[in-house]
Amino acid sequence: MAEINMRQAISDALWEEMERDEKVFIMGEEVGVWGGTYAVTKGFYDHFGAKRVKDTPIAEAAIVGAGIGAALVGLRPVAELMTINFAFVAMDHIVNEAPKLHTMFGGQMKVPLVIRTAGGGGRQLGATHSQTPDAIFAHFPGLKVVSPGTPADAKGLLKAAIRDDDPVLYIEHAAMYQVKGEVPTGDFTVPIGVSKVQREGSDVTIVSYCRGLQLSMLAAEQLAVEGISAEVVDLRSLRPLDMGPVIESFKKTNRAVVVEEGWPSYGVGAEVSTRLYEEAFDYADAPIKRVGQKEVPLPYNRELEQSALPQVADVIAAVKEVL
Amino acid sequence: MTLKKNDHLEFYRQMVLIRRVEERSAELYQQGKIGGFLHLYIGQEAVSTGLISVRRPEDRVITAYRDHGVAINVGIPAKQVLAELLGKETGISKGRGGSMHMADVSKNYWGGHAIVGAHLPIAAGMALGDQYQGNKGVTICMFGDGATNIGFFHEGVNLSKVWNLPVLWVCENNQYGMGTAVERASAVGEIHKKAEGYGIPHSRLDDGMDIMKVREASAAALEQVRSGKGPYFLEIVTYRFQGHSMGDPQRYRQKEEVTQWEKTDPIGIYNRYLVEQEIATKADLEKVEEAVEAEVKEAVEFAETSPDPALDTLFDYMYTDKEQNHG
């Protein structure tokens, strides 16, 4: 084990996969000469060269579309969208092409494509650049959607995504690149579609992922001081969604809070709580609570923005409501 | 390449086969046996037949939703085309795709794409894959005039030049995007000139109803791409036939229609050419037509008697790893 930050974990995964397999290459805006807008691919261009680290025009449909095409003919592209907010202009290729081709042609085609992108708010980028629209993408069968909350999962999930024969949307959080954690040394993958208990507890189940996981872990620490034992389940993948550990935990604690950074309406919390009601209703001792972003486009002003984003205190308050 | 009599008869066969399959499809559609949309290739047979006749096996082909003709030209048997139209398990896409989504990867034919223009960036990516892996092939990407007004077109075409990709862009200008005439939808009337904006060499074939001219233009364009000069843009002007007597299976034998047919119908034009040039006799061509009639009859029977996909296969092919198909 070694303690590294999220940026390093993602960068290492890409580097190691490119070293391992000639078919893996990166394409996106400023991934090459610049070194990546979040410095994830710093040094890649010099090491791997222009063929495997391709700077693209600012044309997201071309980035994802060409990624699909290259994947169809045998490569394993990692197509990078600078932020998930730009994914909307490539929406057709992300949700209506990549996830459809394998099934629509009766299994003839495979699309081993990774779309790497970063989302999330809190960096004063205003309404168009601060969103967490993960649930929209997780809505579509055929696409896989993962969003890690720890450096170890970031590395293992990215490696798994690159080796996967289906299209995977890999969502990072733009404000989490400095987050540190223990990462196993050597080659390893984290399976897509497998949730994980990140902290054991007995009084309440907190379900979350990505930035929400960070909030949930901090909340669990503070709750422990007050004598409240929270179990934190990390979804890690939004599709396929592994409800197993969530339900198991809920059957034990009988209370749950779902934490996400995105808007709660039609969101991850809505999905998880509904499935809990459908599959474990008899175990519920209190209504399940959702914690998410206030239902408003995010403003620029720092205080306003922070007031709209979910905070550790919100998670703690929600837990106390369900106890 | 000097064409032999048999080559001509094969092209003629393909064109007549497309026509017959489309005519039968229209009937089956009227009978409610084909669902969804049905975009017929009637009238445009010379374009795809001529273009595909000069491709090599390593050249990839991808097209839009008017894809039945291309399917036949690349060698998908008529029975698999018709079975797909009827949604059968024996269809080329196992009944999952339908009219707009036919592909046969074993024949380097990549579909059949129904979102206007969306397959252009995908085509650029396929060419990138070939460039990356050192493959020789050219990606032939066909699309309609209507697709040249959407953003995907511009992103894909631009990328092909920026990366010098081996793509042949082929605009089949049938003069209407659905019901909207080119001049009402495109700022540039001569569509091939849009390539100018991306520094891509281009040309236009005004007579896309003559297969010999299509072959000549396509071969020259493909050669240009093969020579490593990057993408090329070819516009081929054609038109869709309306559902009038041109679709009548009897017309080959109705004298009063022959004059008109020989002037405007790609099959009639080719028929007259072959006879006038003494490449084939009327009897040769009638023999081809009869064989096609028989093949289509058999293909329809095959399609109609083929099984539907089993209901328990609903989730098959969602993910490549079947374990995850219920996630």
Side-chain angles (χ1 to χ4, degrees):
Chain A
M1 297 287 257
E3 192 182 61
I4 59 173
N5 65 24
M6 208 80 162
R7 173 184 289 114
Q8 193 64 47
I10 296 164
S11 182
D12 287 353
L14 281 172
W15 186 283
E16 289 170 23
E17 289 304 293
M18 288 179 74
E19 289 284 11
R20 187 186 61 79
D21 185 354
E22 280 280 330
K23 293 184 184 303
V24 180
F25 74 100
I26 303 173
M27 58 193 287
E29 294 154 10
E30 309 299 352
V31 297
V33 176
W34 188 299
T37 41
Y38 298 114
V40 170
T41 53
K42 196 176 166 193
F44 280 56
Y45 186 84
D46 290 340
H47 181 75
F48 293 105
K51 178 185 164 188
R52 299 186 67 196
V53 187
K54 301 187 89 69
D55 283 318
T56 65
I58 302 172
E60 282 79 8
I63 295 169
V64 181
I68 292 168
L72 284 174
V73 301
L75 298 181
R76 295 193 170 272
V78 179
E80 182 179 321
L81 298 175
M82 195 181 288
T83 92
I84 201 166
N85 304 280
F86 310 159
F88 303 137
V89 294
M91 201 69 181
D92 182 72
H93 289 90
I94 299 169
V95 307
N96 212 16
E97 306 293 335
K100 306 293 199 281
L101 301 182
H102 180 65
T103 181
M104 199 165 64
F105 295 107
Q108 294 184 69
M109 300 181 193
K110 286 194 290 193
V111 186
L113 167 71
V114 177
I115 303 164
R116 250 195 77 217
T117 191
R123 302 186 320 128
Q124 287 194 270
L125 291 170
T128 62
H129 276 58
S130 306
Q131 293 160 110
T132 309
D134 312 349
I136 294 174
F137 298 94
H139 185 64
F140 291 87
L143 187 65
K144 294 179 179 176
V145 179
V146 302
S147 188
T150 68
D153 287 338
K155 185 172 180 183
L157 277 171
L158 184 50
K159 282 176 165 252
I162 289 170
R163 297 178 195 184
D164 201 286
D165 278 341
D166 295 313
V168 181
L169 178 65
Y170 180 94
I171 306 173
E172 299 157 24
H173 196 291
M176 283 178 70
Y177 288 112
Q178 304 288 356
V179 170
K180 286 188 172 173
E182 294 289 332
V183 175
T185 47
D187 187 43
F188 72 98
T189 59
V190 169
I192 293 169
V194 178
S195 302
K196 183 186 179 188
V197 175
Q198 295 281 15
R199 180 190 172 108
E200 291 189 5
S202 53
D203 296 332
V204 60
T205 300
I206 306 176
V207 186
S208 193
Y209 73 98
C210 196
R211 181 79 199 285
L213 174 72
Q214 210 187 8
L215 300 178
S216 302
M217 294 297 274
L218 289 169
E221 264 178 51
Q222 294 185 30
L223 287 163
V225 174
E226 299 178 43
I228 298 166
S229 170
E231 181 147 295
V232 180
V233 186
D234 182 3
L235 297 173
R236 304 195 293 189
S237 297
L238 300 182
R239 184 181 278 276
L241 179 62
D242 175 20
M243 283 295 291
V246 181
I247 291 168
E248 205 177 309
S249 177
F250 186 65
K251 285 179 175 175
K252 184 171 73 177
T253 66
N254 313 111
R255 298 159 201 280
V257 170
V258 191
V259 182
E260 67 194 304
E261 187 175 305
W263 296 297
S265 295
Y266 313 100
V268 175
E271 180 64 31
V272 169
S273 54
T274 300
R275 293 218 202 178
L276 279 173
Y277 286 132
E278 284 173 345
E279 295 172 43
F281 184 78
D282 291 343
Y283 293 87
D285 282 351
I288 298 163
K289 294 292 292 184
R290 288 180 287 168
V291 174
Q293 192 174 130
K294 304 272 195 318
E295 303 267 348
V296 63
L298 275 186
Y300 163 73
N301 176 275
R302 184 177 160 74
E303 298 306 318
L304 276 179
E305 184 186 25
Q306 287 301 321
S307 76
L309 289 169
Q311 308 290 342
V312 174
D314 299 322
V315 180
I316 291 171
V319 165
K320 288 182 175 172
E321 280 185 59
V322 302
L323 283 177
Chain B
M1 180 179 95
T2 316
L3 291 173
K4 298 196 173 69
K5 178 178 176 181
N6 277 349
D7 298 319
H8 283 289
L9 291 180
E10 170 58 18
F11 303 155
Y12 188 74
R13 187 192 73 83
Q14 289 180 20
M15 288 173 70
V16 176
L17 182 58
I18 293 172
R19 179 69 55 89
R20 289 286 168 271
V21 165
E22 296 294 56
E23 287 167 350
R24 288 296 284 132
S25 300
E27 289 169 25
L28 291 162
Y29 192 78
Q30 300 289 346
Q31 293 165 17
K33 291 177 180 170
I34 295 174
F37 296 147
L38 186 71
H39 305 93
L40 300 177
Y41 204 60
I42 291 174
Q44 299 179 216
E45 292 94 340
V47 178
S48 162
T49 307
L51 173 64
I52 302 303
S53 75
V54 294
R55 64 138 355 185
R56 294 175 185 164
E58 66 265 29
D59 297 330
R60 305 181 190 280
V61 180
I62 185 168
T63 190
Y65 48 84
R66 197 178 302 283
D67 62 348
H68 314 163
V70 189
I72 283 166
N73 293 132
V74 300
I76 299 176
K79 61 181 187 177
Q80 283 181 284
V81 171
L82 282 158
E84 188 58 34
L85 290 171
L86 267 62
K88 299 301 180 75
E89 181 68 29
T90 54
I92 191 63
S93 299
K94 294 191 167 68
R96 271 77 177 168
S99 165
M100 303 189 286
H101 309 113
M102 295 192 191
D104 188 343
V105 169
S106 74
K107 295 183 168 61
N108 222 349
Y109 173 45
W110 297 83
H113 294 264
I115 300 294
V116 171
H119 66 295
L120 275 78
I122 295 174
M126 288 166 55
L128 169 65
D130 281 333
Q131 183 188 63
Y132 186 102
Q133 295 173 97
N135 301 335
K136 291 181 301 185
V138 172
T139 295
I140 301 170
C141 178
M142 302 163 73
F143 49 90
D145 46 278
T148 68
N149 303 316
I150 198 164
F152 299 138
F153 168 87
H154 300 276
E155 292 194 24
V157 170
N158 179 62
L159 196 72
S160 74
K161 181 61 180 179
V162 170
W163 288 346
N164 215 40
L165 299 172
V167 186
L168 174 58
W169 302 112
V170 181
C171 176
E172 281 187 90
N173 179 0
N174 68 12
Q175 306 174 45
Y176 289 89
M178 287 191 76
T180 305
V182 168
E183 59 271 21
R184 292 175 61 215
S186 176
V188 178
E190 284 188 59
I191 287 171
H192 66 108
K193 289 185 176 168
K194 291 183 180 182
E196 195 76 35
Y198 301 104
I200 294 175
H202 55 90
S203 57
R204 167 166 163 156
L205 174 66
D206 287 307
D207 186 2
M209 308 307 275
D210 182 338
I211 181 176
M212 289 298 110
K213 290 178 184 161
V214 173
R215 274 178 55 87
E216 193 183 342
S218 303
L222 265 174
E223 207 39 59
Q224 173 110 356
V225 183
R226 281 195 192 111
S227 70
K229 290 179 186 160
Y232 189 88
F233 193 105
L234 175 63
E235 176 188 359
I236 300 177
V237 180
T238 179
Y239 56 90
R240 273 183 285 156
F241 286 176
Q242 306 301 313
H244 56 61
S245 63
M246 282 303 180
D248 182 347
Q250 292 301 308
R251 72 175 180 286
Y252 290 100
R253 287 179 284 274
Q254 290 174 358
K255 275 190 178 163
E256 62 275 21
E257 287 184 13
V258 167
T259 315
Q260 176 69 8
W261 172 61
E262 287 180 345
K263 281 183 188 151
T264 60
D265 187 305
I267 298 174
I269 290 166
Y270 193 32
N271 182 300
R272 186 176 62 172
Y273 170 84
L274 293 174
V275 173
E276 284 181 2
Q277 297 295 310
E278 295 180 357
I279 297 165
T281 63
K282 287 268 180 198
D284 291 332
L285 300 178
E286 274 167 25
K287 208 172 133 194
V288 169
E289 290 156 19
E290 281 162 20
V292 165
E293 293 285 359
E295 182 181 347
V296 173
K297 189 166 176 283
E298 204 173 302
V300 171
E301 275 167 23
F302 171 84
E304 297 211 272
T305 56
S306 282
D308 286 317
L311 292 181
D312 64 4
T313 64
L314 176 63
F315 290 93
D316 288 9
Y317 313 117
M318 185 165 71
Y319 294 117
T320 55
D321 177 0
K322 289 193 178 188
E323 293 297 306
Q324 292 181 307
N325 277 347
H326 295 269

